[in-house]
Amino acid sequence: MNVFVCSEINAGQAKLMPEEAFHCFKVLRKKEGDEIILIDGTGNFYRSVIRSISKNKCESEIIEQWKEVEKGYYLHVLMAPTKNISRFEWFIEKSIEIGIDEITPVLCKHSERKNIKLERLQKIALGAVKQSLAASIPRINPMTPFDEVMKQELQGYKICAHLSQEKKHLKHLIPARSHYHVLIGPEGDFSENELRLLNNNDWQMAVLGNKRLRTETAGLVATQIINGIHF
Amino acid sequence: MNVFVCSEINAGQAKLMPEEAFHCFKVLRKKEGDEIILIDGTGNFYRSVIRSISKNKCESEIIEQWKEVEKGYYLHVLMAPTKNISRFEWFIEKSIEIGIDEITPVLCKHSERKNIKLERLQKIALGAVKQSLAASIPRINPMTPFDEVMKQELQGYKICAHLSQEKKHLKHLIPARSHYHVLIGPEGDFSENELRLLNNNDWQMAVLGNKRLRTETAGLVATQIINGIHF
């Protein structure tokens, strides 16, 4: 099954994003009268019938609408992207499969990777959403310096996954059905100053198990732990 | 830090596996008198001093021994390998990081991949063990037909992860500190006959969440759910 992302819905009529129209027309060879499933990126699915289609435009008429199963929480993972970007991209893909709402790449003192291609990451996210037949597209933020993250007013639980002396497991630190921000440190660990700032800004330290995990694995494990407390 | 796998330990003397000796000598340029950390693959670490080294042989004297932190359970994941083998290899790597004891590739009726290269998978497992600084090497079994799996006398809990009508989440089906066998179906799902055999052979059906996961993601999520119930 394929789902397509629409750019606009108005009075029961939907327009596909241009690249989606191209794929629909050129690759899948859909034509007027064919049924397609659309998503709006915010949790809604639509069954629709194509009324007009060309290589950069597709308009369809909505005949049915339904909502994605709600997971009942909001998860924002903040992570220093890995030196090898494919490992970070892998995290984006897999966390979307499990369920995530927002991802912020964070620039830490010991980050080996200083920049990212935001558009590429957003494209990977979109692909993962379509692949996993979800209807919500997570927000991928631009690279944000650690100090700026500390200044942000984040509502909900702020947890930093860190193999420190603190031995509380993430799952014991948070109640279900809330809003979570989970920060994962860089491959070279946080600096002393960053650890001090985390403490000063009320981030709770948590462990994800008793093994040392790679950055991207830690991100995914945190995503699954939070998903798991909702069952 | 590097750890090396030894092939033999006798009266305080350890020998490295030949390929490990090669890496130690040629790549890391270790020499007599250098200290190296060894693992025996069954949960023990050793600090040792090299007594003799060449490109295919390394003997060292053990000066200290300690045990890996025990995770307190035994996890065996049985999974139909993915058509794209790199996704299965990824599962092996990541599940070792989190903690797994045994992996059995299973040949199901709807398996798109009919064969594997066992030696390559074992090599990937070994690399992941070394990378994650673990001391236990999980067992990777040869491809096993589904019918044979059904005939095996597996001790402990037998659970099949499946998005069926059955809605019990894996974490509610099993107690902590036990022996678990978790079966993950192929990309094309189990056949009707396989589902009947699972039922006849007392495999419990479980869900891993409310989203459809790819085979390899399901394997990793199951691994993390089981790890998570021990905290």
Side-chain angles (χ1 to χ4, degrees), chain B residues 61-191:
Chain B
E61 192 180 327
I62 291 166
I63 50 181
E64 193 187 349
Q65 175 181 354
W66 66 98
K67 279 199 165 295
E68 192 175 46
V69 178
E70 280 189 35
K71 60 187 193 323
Y73 61 89
Y74 187 93
L75 174 59
H76 174 203
V77 171
L78 306 95
M79 186 194 289
T82 48
K83 186 176 175 190
N84 173 350
I85 196 68
S86 69
R87 295 191 166 264
F88 187 63
E89 293 174 355
W90 167 88
F91 162 74
I92 294 178
E93 246 185 64
K94 292 299 178 192
S95 64
I96 288 174
E97 249 184 273
I98 296 171
I100 196 165
D101 303 279
E102 189 175 347
I103 297 172
T104 301
V106 181
L107 182 63
C108 294
K109 175 132 190 267
H110 297 160
S111 288
E112 292 200 65
R113 168 168 293 277
K114 312 283 186 203
N115 46 55
I116 51 158
K117 290 178 181 150
L118 185 58
E119 267 187 37
R120 178 176 158 86
L121 299 182
Q122 286 167 335
K123 206 171 156 188
I124 283 165
L126 192 62
V129 167
K130 294 180 66 174
Q131 163 68 38
S132 66
L133 304 183
S136 300
I137 303 173
R139 181 170 161 175
I140 315 284
N141 295 316
M143 183 80 104
T144 310
F146 181 90
D147 289 3
E148 272 185 41
V149 170
M150 290 300 109
K151 287 176 197 155
Q152 285 170 358
E153 296 216 0
L154 301 169
Q155 300 303 311
Y157 292 85
K158 299 191 293 184
I159 300 120
C160 173
H162 192 245
L163 262 185
S164 52
Q165 287 89 332
E166 190 58 64
K167 293 289 179 210
K168 274 188 197 147
H169 193 275
L170 171 58
K171 76 171 188 176
H172 297 306
L173 276 179
I174 48 171
R177 307 190 73 77
S178 190
H179 203 115
Y180 316 103
H181 309 274
V182 181
L183 176 61
I184 311 283
E187 286 153 316
D189 205 351
F190 294 109
S191 71

Side-chain angles (χ1 to χ4, degrees), chain A residues 33-141:
Chain A
D34 283 351
E35 273 193 15
I36 53 174
I37 306 290
L38 310 178
I39 61 170
D40 63 3
T42 63
N44 297 298
F45 290 98
Y46 304 90
R47 194 156 63 88
S48 73
V49 177
I50 297 174
R51 290 296 171 225
S52 74
I53 187 162
S54 66
K55 73 175 174 2
N56 52 18
K57 205 169 163 184
C58 175
E59 298 188 353
S60 61
E61 193 180 327
I62 291 166
I63 49 181
E64 193 187 350
Q65 175 180 353
W66 67 100
K67 280 199 163 294
E68 192 174 46
V69 178
E70 279 189 35
K71 59 189 194 325
Y73 61 90
Y74 187 93
L75 174 59
H76 174 202
V77 171
L78 306 96
M79 186 193 289
T82 48
K83 186 176 175 188
N84 173 349
I85 196 69
S86 69
R87 294 191 168 266
F88 187 63
E89 292 175 355
W90 167 87
F91 163 73
I92 294 177
E93 245 185 64
K94 292 299 177 191
S95 64
I96 288 173
E97 248 183 273
I98 296 170
I100 197 164
D101 302 279
E102 188 175 348
I103 297 172
T104 301
V106 181
L107 183 63
C108 295
K109 176 135 191 265
H110 298 160
S111 287
E112 292 200 64
R113 168 167 293 276
K114 313 283 186 203
N115 46 56
I116 51 158
K117 289 180 182 147
L118 185 59
E119 267 187 35
R120 177 176 159 86
L121 299 182
Q122 286 167 336
K123 206 171 158 188
I124 283 167
L126 192 61
V129 167
K130 294 180 66 173
Q131 163 69 36
S132 66
L133 303 182
S136 300
I137 302 172
R139 180 171 162 176
I140 314 284
N141 295 316

Side-chain angles (χ1 to χ4, degrees), chain A residues 68-71 87 90 93-100 130-134 169 171-172 207-218 220-221 224-225 227-231, chain B residues 68-71 87 90 93-100 130-134 169 171-172 207-218 220-221 224-225 227-231:
Chain A
E68 192 174 46
V69 178
E70 279 189 35
K71 59 189 194 325
R87 294 191 168 266
W90 167 87
E93 245 185 64
K94 292 299 177 191
S95 64
I96 288 173
E97 248 183 273
I98 296 170
I100 197 164
K130 294 180 66 173
Q131 163 69 36
S132 66
L133 303 182
H169 193 275
K171 76 171 189 177
H172 298 304
V207 296
L208 305 177
N210 50 23
K211 292 191 74 182
R212 195 189 69 147
L213 302 174
R214 277 169 176 259
T215 296
E216 74 280 7
T217 317
L220 196 73
V221 162
Q224 175 53 40
I225 290 171
N227 183 275
I229 65 172
H230 293 83
F231 288 90
Chain B
E68 192 175 46
V69 178
E70 280 189 35
K71 60 187 193 323
R87 295 191 166 264
W90 167 88
E93 246 185 64
K94 292 299 178 192
S95 64
I96 288 174
E97 249 184 273
I98 296 171
I100 196 165
K130 294 180 66 174
Q131 163 68 38
S132 66
L133 304 183
H169 193 275
K171 76 171 188 176
H172 297 306
V207 296
L208 305 176
N210 50 23
K211 293 190 72 181
R212 194 190 71 148
L213 302 173
R214 278 170 175 259
T215 297
E216 74 279 6
T217 317
L220 197 72
V221 162
Q224 175 53 39
I225 291 172
N227 183 277
I229 63 171
H230 293 83
F231 288 90

